[in-house]
Amino acid sequence: MIGQILRALTPLAEPLGFVWLCLLVVAAWLWVKRSRRLAVFLFGIAAFLSVVGCTRIPGDLVAALERPFVIEDLETVPTADAVV
């Protein structure tokens, strides 16, 4: 039980997870203090980090950049003495 909790909280110790957690804590604190506009802005940034970090969007963007360099037929690849 404790191991599962620690495994679930480990990503929050990494830099991006820590920034995400801080954004949520500060936004919640500002919401309680009735600074709603800034709280919504910080919640929006946290949501953006969640979408960018937890979905396939970054992989799809990188795949789109690498698509022109994909070799469909491996028989057309020239032979080489070494692979760097």
Side-chain angles (χ1 to χ4, degrees), residues 63-84:
L65 290 174
E66 292 177 348
R67 193 167 295 122
F69 304 105
V70 172
I71 299 173
E72 294 294 328
D73 186 20
L74 293 179
E75 298 298 325
T76 61
V77 176
T79 58
D81 291 335
V83 176
V84 179

Side-chain angles (χ1 to χ4, degrees), residues 51-65:
V51 168
V52 170
C54 300
T55 61
R56 291 184 39 195
I57 292 173
D60 290 343
L61 292 174
V62 171
L65 290 174

Side-chain angles (χ1 to χ4, degrees), residues 2 4-5 7 9 16 28 30-31 43 52-53 56 61 70 75 80 83-84:
I2 298 293
Q4 290 175 343
I5 293 172
R7 198 174 309 125
L9 294 177
L16 186 59
L30 287 172
W31 189 269
F43 276 128
V52 170
R56 291 184 39 195
L61 292 174
V70 172
E75 298 298 325
V83 176
V84 179

